[in-house]
Amino acid sequence: MKFLLISGFGDGLGLALRLKQEGNDVAAYVHEARAKSNYNRLLQKPRRWEHFLDKETVVLFDSLGGGRTADRLRSQDYKVLGGSVFADQLGLDKDTSEGFVKEQGVELPKDINSTGWFDGVRFLPGMFSRSVERNKLMPGELGPAGHDTMGLALRPTSPDQVVQTGLQRLAPVLGHHGYVGPITLNSNGIIPRFRYDELPAFLELYDGEVGKLLSGLARGQGDNFHLKPGYSTAIRTSVPPYPLKGAPTQKGVEISGLTREDRPHSYFYDVELTEDNKLVTSGAYGRVAAFTGSGDSLDQALDRAYDPSYRLNVPDKQLRNDLRPIFHQVDLGG
């Protein structure tokens, strides 16, 4: 299969790498100049994404802002996942998002995010999940907020529980506007895009081929996909000045302390590979990685995510080490 990622800030490059590791033909294009060095020597990155595109390509948009391009490609019969003008309107304007869900008679949840995967007609029944997150950089809910999370816990849920949150009520309107991709309902309204670090946590509980999932979703053929039971967690690690924008970030700092066994549970962000095969910081924003873990219990999932987070060796490492009691206070359901 063939995939093209069109990215705003490089958030979805870890997903593209996962697709490449499965044996797919993958290329990525990053719009933001500051993030263009992300995943150098790890992924194919054409100067013009159009040169990689053909009718067999599934086009992935990992962020908001590319809606016009996404809709144009859909009108030309390309298979597109994520991205639309409608999604941009909802995702970039909180008032519009809140007004939309209220018009559909949906009550916004207070503490829990509800996420489903929409194929253009319906939500895939085996792909619903709930999550709880924390965005502040420092323990005790101190410091600036990260983008998107500093820590997250996720658990699959049944379609009936998601109906109770109102996510299913949005399906007719989403279908009318041609949106295909993940949809999250939370206290801020509706989020029609991949969410980070929810996506890395989601990948912990999906043990099939991600390429088949995304291709099937884009083609409306998602009947047989489902998440495995249990919990998953994601712990974001970063270096200063993250999450502050605009300040210079150190480039070329070697990332060490990890093992080969950590690779499936490491979703890297602002990194690149040197000519001598060393993984280093790219100097983009200071995001290093989300480390993920899964298990039958929340504690087991947290232990498995914290283990590589603590072993990661990079100067001035930042991470939340107080998430265990916080996540235990929230009932994620089953």
Side-chain angles (χ1 to χ4, degrees), residues 37-272:
S37 63
N38 284 357
Y39 277 67
N40 279 352
R41 300 182 183 87
L42 289 167
L43 288 173
Q44 181 181 177
K45 297 166 66 179
R47 288 182 176 273
R48 294 181 59 86
W49 57 262
E50 295 92 337
H51 295 166
F52 185 80
L53 184 66
D54 60 35
K55 290 298 183 179
E56 298 302 315
T57 308
V58 176
V59 186
L60 310 175
F61 287 81
D62 72 352
S63 54
L64 298 170
R68 290 186 178 181
T69 301
D71 285 346
R72 174 172 58 82
L73 291 173
R74 286 191 180 94
S75 72
Q76 297 170 349
D77 294 326
Y78 290 99
K79 300 303 180 184
V80 179
L81 196 153
S84 72
V85 170
F86 179 64
D88 288 348
Q89 291 171 342
L90 293 179
L92 297 174
D93 189 322
K94 182 178 179 180
D95 292 337
T96 299
S97 179
E98 290 182 347
F100 169 72
V101 295
K102 289 179 181 178
E103 286 177 3
Q104 308 307 312
V106 175
E107 183 177 349
L108 296 177
K110 293 182 179 179
D111 298 317
I112 295 177
N113 308 308
S114 293
T115 298
W117 288 67
F118 191 72
D119 70 358
V121 177
R122 64 193 179 96
F123 284 99
L124 305 188
M127 300 290 285
F128 290 113
S129 61
R130 286 180 169 177
S131 63
V132 58
E133 63 188 327
R134 286 297 180 269
N135 303 89
K136 293 291 189 177
L137 176 68
M138 300 169 61
E141 301 303 311
L142 300 176
H147 310 281
D148 286 310
T149 71
M150 293 304 296
L152 179 142
L154 179 145
R155 192 177 188 187
T157 190
S158 70
D160 288 342
Q161 288 175 311
V162 177
V163 168
Q164 294 173 10
T165 71
L167 192 60
Q168 287 276 33
R169 295 186 184 183
L170 305 177
V173 183
L174 294 171
H176 173 75
H177 287 278
Y179 179 79
V180 177
I183 293 287
T184 298
L185 190 68
N186 67 12
S187 60
N188 292 318
I190 185 172
I191 304 174
R193 62 172 175 85
F194 293 103
R195 296 181 66 249
Y196 307 92
D197 300 320
E198 183 170 331
L199 176 63
F202 167 89
L203 293 175
E204 273 284 336
L205 295 181
Y206 184 76
D207 55 5
E209 291 186 26
V210 179
K212 290 183 178 180
L213 166 64
L214 299 182
S215 180
L217 191 72
R219 291 176 167 83
Q221 303 168 352
D223 289 333
N224 298 319
F225 302 115
H226 61 275
L227 297 174
K228 64 184 181 182
Y231 292 84
S232 66
T233 57
I235 308 297
R236 177 169 293 202
T237 57
S238 61
V239 294
Y242 180 85
L244 302 179
K245 296 181 179 180
T249 301
Q250 194 168 0
K251 179 181 175 66
V253 176
E254 185 174 354
I255 296 167
S256 62
L258 303 176
T259 68
R260 184 180 298 273
E261 288 72 25
D262 294 326
R263 290 180 182 178
H265 314 288
S266 306
Y267 190 102
F268 289 101
Y269 287 107
D270 301 330
V271 304
E272 60 182 321

Side-chain angles (χ1 to χ4, degrees), residues 256-262 291 304 306-314 317 319:
S256 62
L258 303 176
T259 68
R260 184 180 298 273
E261 288 72 25
D262 294 326
F291 292 105
R304 290 173 175 171
Y306 269 126
D307 180 47
S309 302
Y310 288 136
R311 283 190 286 103
L312 172 71
N313 184 17
V314 64
K317 178 174 63 179
L319 68 104

